[in-house]
Amino acid sequence: MLEASKIIYENNDWLTFILAFILIVLVLVKVLFNEKLLDTNTLFFSKKYLLIYYNKEKNSVFNLFQLLLFTIQFLVISIIIYLGFDFFEQSILGYKSVYLFISILIIILIYFGFKFLSNFFLASIFNLQKVQNKLQYEKNSYLNNLVLWILPLLIFCIYLNSFQVIFFKITFTLFIVLLCVRYFLFIANNKKLVFNHIFYFILYLCALEIAPLIIIFKLTF
């Protein structure tokens, strides 16, 4: 516990800079897309966001709103993984502090990039661009909702003076639970598509969800 507290104390400066940048981006999103941000934040409880905005944006999935929230996504996920390594002394890359975080950030970007390119090429080969755009839009929207909920907890994980490891375990557990909820809602929203093409859905999970993680794991360890 004391070692974890010391690590966080020593890294407050650059972590504070990262969190400040995330908050600046979030404020920018709120100023530009206030109503849309509120709908995104309640997506786990209501499909209003998907019903309203996908029909408006299906031809421009990579708009400013999505790009800004994607920035928050990969920074928040990188912080979660970094805190996990530092709290439990699992620094497998052999680095400390900002070097470890940058390495994690690069790996996360590679993972998202590999998934995007794989999705794009497979959708093009099987002429499923419209279906793929819809599925990708839903998954990305749920992930936006997830990171918005996790972000306040991360701030406590970094700056809480006592019980940091316990609080991080709670935050990380919630993160995993919300990921599972995300997949459950994703499947529930597309149950006809999933169960009518169960073989292709399993292939999709293996090729585009699990395989990239295994590849990155092998390259990293």
Side-chain angles (χ1 to χ4, degrees):
M1 181 75 70
L2 292 176
E3 291 181 359
S5 300
K6 183 179 179 181
I7 290 170
I8 294 303
Y9 176 78
E10 290 175 349
N11 292 307
N12 262 350
D13 289 343
W14 67 267
L15 273 175
T16 298
F17 176 79
I18 299 295
L19 287 173
F21 178 75
I22 292 174
L23 293 177
I24 290 171
V25 174
L26 192 57
V27 169
L28 181 60
V29 174
K30 182 172 177 57
V31 171
L32 297 176
F33 310 98
N34 182 50
E35 185 176 352
K36 195 173 180 180
L37 181 63
L38 292 176
D39 291 335
T40 300
N41 207 30
T42 59
L43 186 54
F44 280 139
F45 299 114
S46 171
K47 294 193 295 184
K48 177 183 176 182
Y49 176 88
L50 297 177
L51 296 174
I52 293 176
Y53 295 105
Y54 176 70
N55 290 329
K56 295 180 180 179
E57 300 175 355
K58 58 186 176 182
N59 294 323
S60 57
V61 174
F62 294 102
N63 50 51
L64 180 59
F65 176 79
Q66 295 292 348
L67 290 175
L68 289 173
L69 283 187
F70 177 72
T71 301
I72 296 175
Q73 272 184 34
F74 73 80
L75 287 174
V76 167
I77 293 173
S78 298
I79 291 174
I80 291 174
I81 297 173
Y82 166 78
L83 291 179
F85 286 154
D86 259 1
F87 273 133
F88 305 117
E89 297 184 341
Q90 301 289 329
S91 185
I92 53 150
L93 297 176
Y95 302 132
K96 289 294 182 180
S97 302
V98 68
Y99 303 106
L100 173 61
F101 179 79
I102 292 173
S103 300
I104 293 170
L105 192 64
I106 292 172
I107 291 171
I108 295 297
L109 287 173
I110 291 173
Y111 172 70
F112 277 108
F114 182 84
K115 282 185 61 178
F116 170 76
L117 292 176
S118 300
N119 277 308
F120 177 79
F121 285 120
L122 287 178
S124 299
I125 290 172
F126 295 104
N127 196 27
L128 296 171
Q129 289 92 338
K130 291 183 179 180
V131 173
Q132 174 55 34
N133 283 343
K134 180 178 182 296
L135 298 180
Q136 187 63 43
Y137 190 85
E138 286 191 17
K139 289 202 308 178
N140 195 54
S141 298
Y142 280 121
L143 190 56
N144 287 336
N145 189 182
L146 189 157
V147 298
L148 290 175
W149 285 14
I150 291 294
L151 180 57
L153 298 178
L154 282 182
I155 296 175
F156 284 106
C157 287
I158 294 172
Y159 297 107
L160 195 67
N161 292 325
S162 302
F163 308 107
Q164 287 178 316
V165 174
I166 294 174
F167 201 87
F168 174 76
K169 288 180 179 179
I170 294 172
T171 301
F172 186 77
T173 301
L174 180 61
F175 177 73
I176 298 300
V177 169
L178 291 177
L179 278 179
C180 294
V181 171
R182 170 182 176 247
Y183 272 104
F184 173 80
L185 293 173
F186 172 72
I187 293 173
N189 292 345
N190 301 279
K191 53 182 177 293
K192 288 185 179 180
L193 179 63
V194 170
F195 291 111
N196 288 339
H197 303 87
I198 189 67
F199 172 77
Y200 296 104
F201 180 71
I202 294 174
L203 181 63
Y204 168 83
L205 285 179
C206 294
L208 300 181
E209 297 292 335
I210 300 174
L213 289 175
I214 294 176
I215 292 172
I216 290 174
F217 179 85
K218 292 292 185 181
L219 291 174
T220 303
F221 287 85

